[in-house]
Amino acid sequence: MNKKRLSTLLALAMTAVLSVGLFSGCKKDTPSDSPTPTETTTPSTGETTAPADVEPGWKGDTSPITFDWYINFSWFASKWDDPIAKYITEKTGVSINYIVPAGNEAEALNTMLASGSVPDFITLGWWEDAVKKMIEGEMVLPLNELADKYDMYFYKVADEQKLAWYRQDDGNVYGYPNASSSPKDFEKYANLKPSNQTFLVRKDMYEALGKPDMRTPEGFLNALKAAKEKFPEVNGQPLIPLGLHEFTDTGNYSLEGYLQNFLAIPFEKDGKLYDRSTDPDYIKWLKTFRTANEMGLLSKDIFVDKRAQMEEKIAQGRYFAMIYQRSDMSAQLQALYAADPNKVYIAVDGPANSNLDAPKLAGDGLAGWTVTLISKDNKDPERAIKFLSYLISEEGNKDLYLGKKGFTYDVIDGKEQFLPEVLEVLNSDRTKFDKEYGASYKHWMLMDTNMNLQWAPPAAEPAKQLEDWTKGKTVSYALYDGIDPTGTSEEGIAASTMAQEWGKTLPKLLNAKTEAEFDQIWQAWQAKRIELGLDKVSAYREAQLEKNKKKLGM
């Protein structure tokens, strides 16, 4: 899971007072429609609940239907053609035709929105401007209205806090998240839900260098330098001392929210949002990366490589260190481990603040990772809301995660869990697992990562080490979800423009010839974002934060 994938949010976070990049919008909690006679309404929030005995609506019609489902991630290559997908189709009658952008996601989305027509389902990062644009342009249908009309079961399986979080000013809910955790969920599952954010090193190289302390700028630079000198090549190709997420037109979130979380920079000080991007420790570390570039320790590849090229280089073990999310490299990690357990990547302590405090890494937020919406052009809105209800239910999550009983799982030692031979493939060859089975988050659009904990097997090496390292360092930043302005409002345009400007500025900072040139570029950036409307964006974010606090009872 790219849980990924959040560059726009995290770049926006750089433009003002930053939020973490994983997680949702906050809207009023008053629905516009009166409940039907079969509904009940909670007076304090206006939330609609379903009768306890309501049946799953999808069972009423299992005739064949194919929905077009747009996934706004160019790296997504899955097809609805594996055994578990076919099992779900046999069960519900629904098949899925995935549609994925061939190149730049933002361009593909803008072209699609300009056409005025979108596919049956749309899944994209909740932070994307397109979410608001589709809602404002009446291109998507309110889930609550569809549920009122066609499927009261939706209210039985939907999480009320998630609906409240995504309720818009008009009282409607247009999207439902995946990988979402409320603060209460996070507290309940704190010891089970690790962060996805890691600082990684290649085990054999790191140990050969004497396990250097990389928490300080000096130690970090010395380790990169020593790695390049001792291991100039990997299988005949140049070593890449440091790997990052890809640079986009809005920045690089390895050097934004990830780095700020490693430095344990707070989101608030004295009850007000803190501009994390101007924190002295953060600036010091950006300058450290500039110095690394001056020393020849930042490969030109990292400025141009996209995810496909990065995955290839991870599989080759060409990076010494990485600031990266562990789930994005699971297949490559397994392949490296199978070939040689000593040449795998492991998580270690990386960049830290001046006090060497432990990092405070982001766990799942209430907004989740992506949000799924139903198009106004949907070929069958009734089947669509019923299928969505199935997917977010425990039955649907179980089907997508565990698969089919007797084929991928069974009751073993009193617990529903993967068959041993299936688990072996899952832990050793993710690509083969996806093709031969198709369970365990291959189709992740509406996965409930909390619900799935009841079926999840214990983490196995090499992933276990990465996961275990984040435990005790993972915190909830749900309070700061969705505070950045989006859409075509004055604040939204200002934030978007600043994000684009930051995307141009970050590479310039790293490529500055001297620290003095860095300072000049940095000061120009600070002046530019003020010129573009930082005050308006900051005021908007403060107001949204107050709404979030009220919504979460804080």
Side-chain angles (χ1 to χ4, degrees):
M1 155 182 51
N2 185 332
K3 285 183 177 169
K4 179 211 213 66
R5 339 200 174 48
L6 309 163
S7 56
T8 300
L9 167 70
L10 290 162
L12 286 177
M14 277 296 304
T15 68
V17 207
L18 300 134
S19 74
V20 301
L22 279 172
F23 330 113
S24 167
C26 50
K27 314 297 178 189
K28 293 182 179 177
D29 289 346
T30 307
S32 59
D33 298 326
S34 299
T36 65
T38 59
E39 302 169 5
T40 59
T41 303
T42 305
S44 61
T45 63
E47 294 169 349
T48 303
T49 57
D53 59 351
V54 67
E55 290 295 317
W58 64 267
K59 294 184 177 180
D61 183 358
T62 57
S63 60
I65 187 172
T66 298
F67 285 117
D68 292 328
W69 197 312
Y70 178 81
I71 308 288
N72 193 46
F73 297 96
S74 59
W75 51 262
F76 183 77
S78 296
K79 304 293 183 183
W80 192 257
D81 59 359
D82 54 76
I84 299 309
K86 293 176 181 177
Y87 164 63
I88 292 173
T89 295
E90 292 171 0
K91 182 175 185 175
T92 66
V94 177
S95 297
I96 296 173
N97 173 42
Y98 286 126
I99 301 173
V100 180
N104 184 281
E105 289 92 345
E107 292 178 1
L109 258 182
N110 289 335
T111 299
M112 186 175 71
L113 298 184
S115 73
S117 178
V118 294
D120 299 309
F121 286 90
I122 312 98
T123 294
L124 68 170
W126 64 259
W127 61 91
E128 299 281 0
D129 281 349
V131 175
K132 189 170 185 179
K133 289 178 181 177
M134 285 189 287
I135 293 172
E136 292 177 343
E138 299 183 349
M139 303 174 72
V140 290
L141 299 172
L143 301 183
N144 53 291
E145 291 186 358
L146 291 175
D148 291 345
K149 188 174 183 179
Y150 300 119
D151 188 28
M152 289 300 295
Y153 183 67
F154 171 81
Y155 293 115
K156 184 174 182 178
V157 296
D159 185 294
E160 291 182 355
Q161 282 193 311
K162 296 174 186 178
L163 295 180
W165 189 260
Y166 275 102
R167 188 165 288 118
Q168 303 290 309
D169 290 339
D170 63 2
N172 292 321
V173 179
Y174 294 87
Y176 200 84
N178 72 357
S180 168
S181 292
S182 68
K184 290 181 180 179
D185 282 338
F186 192 88
E187 183 177 344
K188 179 179 179 181
Y189 296 106
N191 295 326
L192 297 175
K193 293 185 66 59
S195 175
N196 206 28
Q197 302 175 342
T198 47
F199 178 70
L200 308 167
V201 292
R202 216 180 94 167
K203 183 176 184 291
D204 58 337
M205 294 181 182
Y206 182 69
E207 292 177 347
L209 297 176
K211 299 182 179 179
D213 187 343
M214 300 181 70
R215 295 177 297 167
T216 66
E218 297 76 19
F220 184 83
L221 292 172
N222 288 338
L224 296 186
K225 182 173 181 290
K228 185 176 181 181
E229 291 174 350
K230 191 174 184 66
F231 307 100
E233 292 187 344
V234 177
N235 297 325
Q237 300 183 80
L239 175 80
I240 302 173
L242 180 66
L244 306 168
H245 283 89
E246 67 180 79
F247 282 81
T248 71
D249 57 359
T250 56
N252 184 313
Y253 51 87
S254 288
L255 300 177
E256 295 156 7
Y258 273 43
L259 179 57
Q260 290 155 7
N261 292 344
F262 275 107
L263 303 181
I265 299 174
F267 280 81
E268 288 184 75
K269 283 190 175 182
D270 301 322
K272 295 290 184 180
L273 277 169
Y274 177 54
D275 191 342
R276 300 176 92 204
S277 70
T278 60
D279 185 88
D281 277 325
Y282 178 63
I283 296 172
K284 180 173 71 174
W285 272 95
L286 284 185
K287 288 185 175 182
T288 300
F289 289 107
R290 186 214 69 80
T291 301
N293 197 34
E294 183 183 7
M295 295 170 64
L297 301 175
L298 296 189
S299 168
K300 300 303 179 186
D301 292 9
I302 69 173
F303 291 97
V304 296
D305 280 351
K306 298 302 180 185
R307 176 163 166 168
Q309 289 77 41
M310 294 172 62
E311 288 180 346
E312 181 180 356
K313 290 169 181 174
I314 293 171
Q316 295 167 345
R318 288 185 59 191
Y319 299 103
F320 164 60
M322 300 183 74
I323 300 176
Y324 207 65
Q325 53 188 346
R326 57 189 175 82
S327 64
D328 274 14
M329 57 185 295
S330 58
Q332 294 76 32
L333 194 68
Q334 287 177 339
L336 287 170
Y337 188 77
D340 187 341
N342 287 318
K343 293 183 179 179
V344 76
Y345 287 94
I346 59 172
V348 299
D349 292 338
N353 61 31
S354 298
N355 296 324
L356 299 182
D357 294 325
K360 293 184 178 180
L361 308 175
D364 290 345
L366 184 51
W369 166 34
T370 66
V371 63
T372 292
L373 309 95
I374 295 177
S375 167
K376 69 174 178 59
D377 300 317
N378 191 286
K379 61 175 61 72
D380 192 332
E382 180 175 354
R383 292 289 297 278
I385 187 63
K386 290 178 178 178
F387 187 59
L388 186 146
S389 295
Y390 159 74
L391 291 177
I392 67 175
S393 71
E394 182 165 324
E395 180 177 4
N397 264 268
K398 182 178 177 182
D399 287 345
L400 281 169
Y401 185 82
L402 271 185
K404 184 178 181 181
K405 188 174 183 180
F407 175 63
T408 50
Y409 83 94
D410 214 325
V411 178
I412 303 173
D413 297 329
K415 177 185 176 181
E416 292 178 317
Q417 54 186 302
F418 288 116
L419 295 168
E421 61 270 24
V422 176
L423 183 60
E424 194 281 327
V425 178
L426 175 62
N427 288 334
S428 63
D429 192 335
R430 180 71 209 207
T431 301
K432 180 180 179 181
F433 177 89
D434 285 348
K435 181 178 180 181
E436 295 190 358
Y437 301 110
S440 185
Y441 299 139
K442 178 183 179 181
H443 307 283
W444 44 256
M445 301 85 71
L446 288 163
M447 63 183 178
D448 187 322
T449 49
N450 291 321
M451 187 185 297
N452 290 325
L453 288 171
Q454 63 187 301
W455 308 302
E461 297 298 353
K464 183 179 186 300
Q465 191 276 334
L466 276 61
E467 180 178 305
D468 287 347
W469 179 83
T470 71
K471 293 180 179 178
K473 305 179 182 72
T474 306
V475 299
S476 172
Y477 290 129
L479 180 60
Y480 309 100
D481 289 355
I483 61 175
D484 291 299
T486 60
T488 57
S489 66
E490 187 176 3
E491 298 89 350
I493 292 172
S496 178
T497 305
M498 280 191 280
Q500 298 289 329
E501 192 68 27
W502 171 248
K504 300 173 185 176
T505 300
L506 179 58
K508 293 179 182 178
L509 291 169
L510 301 184
N511 284 291
K513 301 298 183 185
T514 63
E515 185 170 322
E517 183 181 345
F518 178 104
D519 290 338
Q520 183 180 16
I521 296 170
W522 183 259
Q523 290 163 8
W525 157 243
Q526 297 302 318
K528 184 66 175 180
R529 65 182 194 149
I530 291 173
E531 174 189 329
L532 292 173
L534 176 61
D535 288 347
K536 293 184 178 66
V537 173
S538 297
Y540 178 95
R541 299 178 83 247
E542 288 283 3
Q544 291 300 111
L545 177 59
E546 289 306 309
K547 290 182 180 180
N548 283 5
K549 287 181 177 180
K550 290 180 181 178
K551 185 170 292 187
L552 296 177
M554 302 176 68

